Amino acid sequence: MLKRFVALLLICLTVTANFSRLFIYAGYEANQKYIAEKLCENRDKPWMHCNGRCFLMKKIKQAEEKERSAERQIQKSLFQDACVTVSFEFEFHAQLLQSFPMRYQAMVPQQVSQSLLRPPRQA
């Protein structure tokens, strides 16, 4: 039961984060009359027929700016993680070499022709 609740909560949070504009628009549609009468910047100018759309656009811009700032913070943290480097020292022990059979230790690399190892000629 708890796992189901946690799963539904995570799904709801994901949907809310991805569809924030949809929720803003739905809230506007549900409260359009109140927004037009009380919150609209152009309520004193009825000839503009704004009906609260100025308030809607302002809220959408705020949501977009919030998303951008969150994205910038994520990019900063990713950049900081990428810039931090840790050096490791590797030590090779002679015991590892003793575990290989003699036939691998006796192998000699193949000879490479010197004609292959020259710079290209210019025309």
Side-chain angles (χ1 to χ4, degrees):
M1 185 70 176
L2 180 64
K3 289 181 183 179
R4 239 184 229 175
F5 175 73
V6 171
L8 287 174
L9 180 67
L10 290 175
I11 289 171
C12 290
L13 290 175
T14 304
V15 168
T16 303
N18 289 332
F19 296 112
S20 61
R21 287 190 202 131
L22 177 68
F23 290 121
I24 291 171
Y25 186 72
Y28 167 75
E29 286 294 323
N31 301 316
Q32 185 176 6
K33 190 172 184 178
Y34 175 77
I35 291 172
E37 291 174 1
K38 304 288 183 184
L39 302 174
C40 181
E41 293 176 358
N42 300 320
R43 64 179 173 260
D44 299 333
K45 305 171 190 170
W47 63 88
M48 293 184 73
H49 302 290
C50 178
N51 297 330
R53 279 177 282 200
C54 57
F55 182 78
L56 173 66
M57 292 301 140
K58 191 185 300 183
K59 287 294 181 182
I60 289 176
K61 283 182 184 179
Q62 285 177 353
E64 287 176 355
E65 186 60 36
K66 189 175 179 182
E67 287 176 11
R68 280 193 212 114
S69 65
E71 190 174 317
R72 278 188 234 122
Q73 289 295 336
I74 291 170
Q75 288 176 351
K76 279 183 186 178
S77 67
L78 290 175
F79 179 73
Q80 289 171 352
D81 290 344
C83 290
V84 175
T85 58
V86 178
S87 61
F88 294 102
E89 285 189 31
F90 293 102
E91 295 181 21
F92 294 100
H93 301 285
Q95 295 170 347
L96 292 174
L97 295 175
Q98 292 174 356
S99 65
F100 289 109
M102 288 303 289
R103 61 183 173 156
Y104 290 117
Q105 290 179 1
M107 290 180 74
V108 179
Q110 295 177 354
Q111 295 296 325
V112 178
S113 173
Q114 292 296 325
S115 63
L116 293 176
L117 303 175
R118 61 186 165 113
R121 295 182 188 167
Q122 291 182 347

